[in-house]
Amino acid sequence: MSRRPLLVGNWKMHTTVVEACQLAAAIRQGCSDLEDRDIMLAPPATVLSEVSHIVHGSGIILAGQNVCWAAEGAFTGEISPVMIQGAGGHAAIVGHSERRQIFHEDNAMVNRRLCGGLAQGLLMILCVGETQEERESGQTFAVLAEQLRGALDGVTPTQCARLAIAYEPVWAIGTGLTASGGQAQEVHEFLRDQVATLYEKNIAGHMRILYGGSVKPDNVDQLLAQPDIDGALVGGAALDAASFIRIVHYKA
Ligand code: PGA
């Protein structure tokens, strides 16, 4: 089954307006030759609108780094799906391990966010991943199955067309440690099987499953060469235009 590759740059809490516009402009220019893959940028919400002007017409998709389930209301510090759309975004990430670990978001909250974003028509990236401790104690698959089941509760088969999963082993995020192609492939295959069990084989076959965790220009090719790795969610290396442009130009 052919799945269109998706390369995502997650800028996390980096970039002022000026820096974000420069980075977005460089990425736009450096990626303008590619038509066979989707490119998504997740800048901080404070620069989403400005960046949307920079990438307008390029096909680059803009995403929020998180999203609230409600359209509006008394949710200090939160950003709604409608606000992301109003600022020029069409997508959002949920369940990032930094949200889970630092801000204590559990599977139930990730589920509310995911459902809220999907209901409003956003393209959603659901992050899952085990910690080092969980991997060492042999719980990787159990943890991932629970994260998936919990997050996907109430998500309809139709909505799955606007969903991508990002496998991000927590021990590989920002650490310079990367899962080997084989290690990641094993998990991606498992996740695809889980989607087939929760929905059906055809939906699982179309679902894009991205890898994230210290993706760099020098490891992207071997990761993306794996049959069940359909793209990458990139943090640190996405802040450097040349690195990200090289990652997007991966050769599998
Ligand atoms: P990293 O971050 O590429 O810096 O490891 C990935 C992520 O957190 O999405």
Side-chain angles (χ1 to χ4, degrees):
M1 192 144 328
S2 87
R3 294 175 291 268
R4 193 173 158 85
L6 171 60
L7 290 305
V8 186
N10 172 15
W11 295 1
K12 306 193 181 185
M13 200 172 74
H14 295 281
T15 68
T16 59
V17 172
V18 173
E19 291 163 348
C21 288
Q22 286 170 348
L23 182 56
I27 291 169
R28 176 182 185 153
Q29 192 179 22
C31 296
S32 61
D33 56 323
L34 294 168
E35 282 173 3
D36 62 347
R37 54 203 74 182
D38 289 332
I39 303 168
M40 183 185 289
L41 300 177
T46 45
V47 304
L48 205 51
S49 181
E50 279 84 355
V51 169
S52 82
H53 297 301
I54 304 283
V55 301
H56 182 76
S58 68
I60 294 175
I61 304 161
L62 290 187
Q65 296 177 7
N66 202 1
V67 67
C68 191
W69 47 88
E72 60 177 5
F75 298 94
T76 301
E78 290 286 321
I79 293 156
S80 82
V82 181
M83 290 170 172
I84 289 178
Q85 289 169 332
H90 292 91
I93 298 170
V94 289
H96 191 280
S97 68
E98 285 147 20
R99 298 303 318 174
R100 295 178 190 263
Q101 299 211 309
I102 306 170
F103 301 100
H104 306 292
E105 294 192 15
D106 60 10
N107 287 333
M109 179 170 288
V110 174
N111 173 250
R112 289 183 80 180
R113 294 185 184 280
L114 180 62
C115 290
L118 287 170
Q120 188 54 39
L122 292 180
L123 174 62
M124 298 297 293
I125 312 279
L126 166 66
C127 302
V128 296
E130 83 286 2
T131 62
Q132 173 117 43
E133 203 183 354
E134 288 161 347
R135 175 162 279 263
E136 282 167 3
S137 58
Q139 296 175 73
T140 298
F141 291 143
V143 167
L144 294 172
E146 184 52 30
Q147 287 179 347
L148 215 51
R149 198 198 55 73
L152 294 177
D153 188 25
V155 173
T156 67
T158 313
Q159 287 177 329
C160 285
R162 276 185 289 106
L163 175 67
I165 296 168
Y167 169 55
E168 297 209 300
V170 179
W171 47 271
I173 295 178
T175 59
L177 296 172
T178 322
S180 67
Q183 257 175 341
Q185 168 59 26
E186 184 190 28
V187 172
H188 281 231
E189 214 179 313
F190 170 78
L191 292 170
R192 201 175 301 287
D193 281 350
Q194 291 294 301
V195 174
T197 307
L198 291 168
Y199 294 94
E200 53 170 277
K201 231 177 151 163
N202 191 38
I203 288 177
H206 283 99
M207 179 79 63
R208 291 187 287 192
I209 307 182
L210 320 179
Y211 170 80
S214 298
V215 174
K216 308 283 179 214
D218 63 5
N219 60 25
V220 67
D221 296 345
Q222 64 121 349
L223 284 161
L224 274 283
Q226 301 295 324
D228 286 291
I229 302 186
D230 308 314
L233 178 47
V234 187
L239 290 170
D240 177 73
S243 290
F244 187 67
I245 291 165
R246 167 62 185 89
I247 287 170
V248 173
H249 283 80
Y250 74 90
K251 304 169 192 75

